[in-house]
Amino acid sequence: NIDNIEIIAKCNDGAQLLNVLKSIKPDILILDIFMPKLDGIRATIKIREYSSIPIIFLSAKSEDADKILGLNIGADDYVTKPFTPLELLARVNSHLRRYRHYLEKVGQESESKEHIYRVGGLELNEEKVELRVDGNVVKLTPMEYKILLLLMKNPGRVYSADEIYERVWNEKAINSDTIMVHIRSIREKFELNPKKPNYLKVVGGGGYKIEKDA
């Protein structure tokens, strides 16, 4: 567990948040979607222009469309109201561990080799952190990229939602339902018909894979 979590700033609206972020650098952000002046969605879009800091959304809505929207524009996770403080703390700890591990890994990599994974019209460049579909760049959120990288490295291999969560988040699954939302968002970005995907498929009702011969 991460023992020393300190709240270093509280903001009343999204505009104030963006102003505060000019002078401080927190390790994680917890945003309510329905903030005044500048809501959580628009604030996150602006933050993602220059930062990969973990962002957790708080929302009273639980519909998949709202979850997909939040994850699609760059949020890492969502917590639906009402929630317990322990649940939120677990999510915060999870993303802080992941983000700190990511920063350590980036700092240690002085050299990198180009690794490109291709399946049909999909091309994932690990060095550039870039997805191309039929030659066109498709923008992914950091978590979408990591999920797709896992699947494209092992085409044809079926992963359960829990397996994906544990490999991407590097810890025991605590909210594997979010994988379903991420998968749906990924599909909508490059499948011609997301309901009948050519590449990213559901297997056995609870598993996911990239079709090897798509």
Side-chain angles (χ1 to χ4, degrees), residues 169-186:
W169 271 263
N170 294 311
E171 66 179 18
K172 185 174 177 61
I174 60 172
N175 184 31
S176 57
D177 286 348
T178 193
I179 299 300
M180 176 186 68
V181 181
H182 278 296
I183 292 290
R184 192 172 301 174
S185 178
I186 295 170

Side-chain angles (χ1 to χ4, degrees), residues 58-105:
L58 304 181
S59 174
K61 294 188 174 182
S62 60
E63 290 84 357
D64 281 347
D66 297 294
K67 297 174 184 177
I68 290 172
L69 176 61
L71 296 172
N72 197 37
I73 55 90
D76 295 278
D77 205 351
Y78 59 86
V79 179
T80 303
K81 301 176 185 177
F83 55 84
T84 66
L86 286 177
E87 178 187 4
L88 180 59
L89 181 62
R91 303 287 183 88
V92 169
N93 281 334
S94 170
H95 288 288
L96 284 176
R97 281 192 293 268
R98 178 190 61 79
Y99 190 55
R100 289 171 181 175
H101 176 74
Y102 165 76
L103 292 178
E104 289 173 2
K105 185 176 180 181

Side-chain angles (χ1 to χ4, degrees), residues 63-165:
E63 290 84 357
D64 281 347
D66 297 294
K67 297 174 184 177
I68 290 172
L69 176 61
L71 296 172
N72 197 37
I73 55 90
D76 295 278
D77 205 351
Y78 59 86
V79 179
T80 303
K81 301 176 185 177
F83 55 84
T84 66
L86 286 177
E87 178 187 4
L88 180 59
L89 181 62
R91 303 287 183 88
V92 169
N93 281 334
S94 170
H95 288 288
L96 284 176
R97 281 192 293 268
R98 178 190 61 79
Y99 190 55
R100 289 171 181 175
H101 176 74
Y102 165 76
L103 292 178
E104 289 173 2
K105 185 176 180 181
V106 170
Q108 292 169 357
E109 290 179 349
S110 57
E111 296 182 0
S112 61
K113 296 181 180 179
E114 185 173 64
H115 293 286
I116 298 176
Y117 303 94
R118 297 183 179 90
V119 177
L122 303 183
E123 180 180 286
L124 196 66
N125 188 312
E126 192 172 7
E127 181 183 5
K128 295 180 179 179
V129 192
E130 178 183 86
L131 172 67
R132 287 183 178 269
V133 181
D134 297 326
N136 300 311
V137 175
V138 174
K139 189 174 181 180
L140 299 173
T141 67
M143 299 313 297
E144 289 171 355
Y145 168 79
K146 289 184 178 183
I147 291 170
L148 189 59
L149 176 63
L150 171 65
L151 297 178
M152 286 192 65
K153 277 185 172 181
N154 303 278
R157 162 83 151 82
V158 178
Y159 290 91
S160 69
D162 282 352
E163 284 181 296
I164 295 174
Y165 190 100

